[in-house]
Amino acid sequence: MAKAARSQFVCQACGAVSARWAGKCGACGEWNSIIEEADTSPPPGSGMTRGSKGRVIPLETLDRRESEAIKRHVTGLSELDRVTGGGIVPGSAILIGGEPGIGKSTLLLQVAAAFARAGKNAVYFTGEEAAAQVRLRAERLGLSAVPLALAAETNLSNILATLADGKHADLIVIDSVQTLWADALEAAPGTVSQVRAATQSLVRYAKAEGSALLLVGHVTKDGNIAGPKVVEHMVDTVLYFEGDRGHPFRILRAAKNRFGATDEIGVFEMAGEGLREVANPSELFLGDRTSNAPGSAVFAGMEGTRPILVEIQALVVPSGLGTPRRAVVGWDASRLAMLLAVIDARCGISFAQHDVYLNVAGGLKITEPAADLAAAAALMSSISNVALPPDRIYFGEVSLSGAVRPSGHMPSRLKEAQKLGFKRAILPAAGDLETGSLKLELSRVEHIKGLADALGL
Ligand code: TYD
Ligand code: MG
């Protein structure tokens, strides 16, 4: 007979299972992350082992039309609807990750309230706060009169029983998966086995009932959702709620989406009365711009299908160190190193004796290569201590040869700049443009040398 409670050792960072405890996980290299848990693999004879006889399932063909129009719950929070790809799909599971205090609970309360207001049945399970605390927050958000079902519960069986007992739930909110625990498992709440088992049961329930499931997941210090990647595989959509606690802006970003694109972002502002949607992020990221300071350039970027203008700030100061400092916030550090080398090699402007700091205003993170030209303009402006004219925007990718390559969505970027009152755009020479209705003056540069010339350096 097999031993009643076998145990296994599970790395809490990556989910790797081993037979023996170790100080360092052999799979991911994390220290002190291995915890003993009860073995949850199905016992022999449970029907899950090899050799069991399966049942014949009906096969479908790809051309069946039924699935074509997915009906979505449009929440009315248009920034969330944008990120999810047009609304929340019934039966789908969405995981929302984010640092503590960033506003996950606030967002989900607002979403659940939007469901309830639209006459749909939303149920909110909180494992982190008492029901009274949630009620207090709802009051602050002006949502206290909304008929939203609420319970403080962390026991998975109780949650499932409650859901099965009541009327069909259109939306189930679980805040958070790390607080859940299943009776059947001996591991503590928040461990990999518990999080995995709880998520699995809830996702299965949601799929069977056609309820949309919203799960909150905490992130670890390196930014991944705690309780490993396995949870991300189980859900349809993974959203990250990001932001700097010093700034009021919050950005909702899709890391995975089975029902839409992953390059859209939703922008919110944390205000006294909860999260406010920001329909025009450019105004937000340019809001407190102090013109006429050297080292500031406005980048006309794209986030998904939406243009966003954002200020890039550079500070170049003489260095007292043998190896000068390079510090970047909101941009890629190796991209900065490359750009500095290109400016040095192609324009003869050297940063070797200078510390370089680069910052993207407002807490936004830029991943587009098109930001090169704006960053280059900011760097050149700072090292020469000459302010750039405030009514200009920049975009274009700089290659190692110094050539400026065309970017996608050039007309949208220009239109956004014109809408916000900019007068001139510095952009790549290559790439076709329909300039019919555009009043913006265009300076098209072929090479980064052209940018230096245009700035008078
Ligand atoms: P919360 O949703 O509790 O964050 P999370 O669930 O991600 O841990 O929100 C945390 C912060 O938001 C809290 O520090 C206070 C702030 N906040 C506001 O500024 N305005 C509001 O209306 C609310 C509800 C919260
Ligand atoms: Mg919370």
Side-chain angles (χ1 to χ4, degrees), residues 100-106 124 126 128-129 137 175-176 216 218:
I102 210 73
K104 302 180 294 296
S105 303
T106 309
Y124 190 110
T126 167
E128 312 224 310
E129 294 157 306
R137 174 182 296 135
D175 187 2
S176 64
V216 171
H218 291 291

Side-chain angles (χ1 to χ4, degrees), residues 255-274:
K256 159 183 173 177
N257 193 353
R258 289 191 183 140
F259 300 108
T262 52
D263 57 359
E264 295 286 357
I265 64 166
V267 184
F268 296 87
E269 186 182 354
M270 182 59 93
E273 66 285 1

Side-chain angles (χ1 to χ4, degrees), residues 361-442:
L364 194 68
K365 283 194 191 71
I366 298 181
T367 50
E368 257 195 302
D372 291 351
L373 208 61
L379 290 165
M380 290 178 181
S381 158
S382 181
I383 197 168
S384 57
N385 208 22
V386 177
L388 301 170
D391 56 355
R392 303 197 172 173
I393 59 110
Y394 305 79
F395 64 86
E397 179 180 351
V398 177
S399 66
L400 288 179
S401 65
V404 178
R405 299 165 52 176
S407 313
H409 306 283
M410 299 217 281
S412 315
R413 297 176 200 260
L414 294 174
K415 264 188 225 129
E416 176 78 358
Q418 175 165 317
K419 199 169 85 192
L420 288 164
F422 287 84
K423 297 285 185 295
R424 180 179 279 273
I426 289 81
L427 70 159
D432 285 337
L433 260 186
E434 184 59 63
T435 52
S437 61
L438 219 57
K439 286 194 279 295
L440 217 59
E441 289 175 55
L442 304 181

